[in-house]
Amino acid sequence: MRVGVVAFGWLLVACAGPAQYYGGTGVHDVTATEVTGGWVNAEGARVELREDGTAAVRKLDGQDFAYDEGWRLSGTGAWRLADSEGGQVVRLALKAPARVDRRAPGTAEDTQPPSSYNWYLYVDRSQREKEVKLFSFYGDPDVGHTYVLTRTGSK
């Protein structure tokens, strides 16, 4: 009986996936000034975090399962740097998208994009270069794919 309980426990842990129980990066020393500026990802999304707490977003994909819906939002919103036990996150809110694009090919055309959206971007700092990066998870949380934003030349 005990072996069955232990095996079932391991099965639950194996099915949970890395993103589902992600505790954060453990980074607590990044300042708002360090995340202010321009950010891009490999698929062409752009985020501008301004000093006054406003943000401009261009073609930013949804997080977790929302990514699979294929919409990409553009517009203006607000952001703030928050700290929790697991580490820092940038909370980015877009209340009324100015534009909706679709990621091609094969994204769901019948999926209605949200009328507002909130992103939670984890803050990380590389140990060697001390470079700050922002990331979130996309797709099935069991898989743990990361959506990475790196600094542009503008700050």
Side-chain angles (χ1 to χ4, degrees), residues 67-134:
Y67 179 86
D68 296 334
E69 295 176 12
W71 47 258
R72 307 182 90 195
L73 301 179
S74 299
T76 57
W79 73 277
R80 71 181 178 92
L81 181 62
D83 199 352
S84 67
E85 184 178 322
Q88 292 172 292
V89 295
V90 170
R91 295 179 184 215
L92 175 60
L94 188 63
K95 296 300 179 199
R99 179 180 170 146
V100 177
D101 293 289
R102 294 280 175 189
R103 200 172 48 254
T107 56
E109 292 294 327
D110 60 341
T111 304
Q112 192 69 5
S115 58
S116 66
Y117 196 78
N118 295 314
W119 289 270
Y120 298 92
L121 305 171
Y122 293 100
V123 178
D124 200 8
R125 184 191 305 272
S126 66
Q127 293 300 317
R128 192 172 356 150
E129 298 91 19
K130 303 297 182 197
E131 179 183 353
V132 174
K133 293 185 179 171
L134 305 177

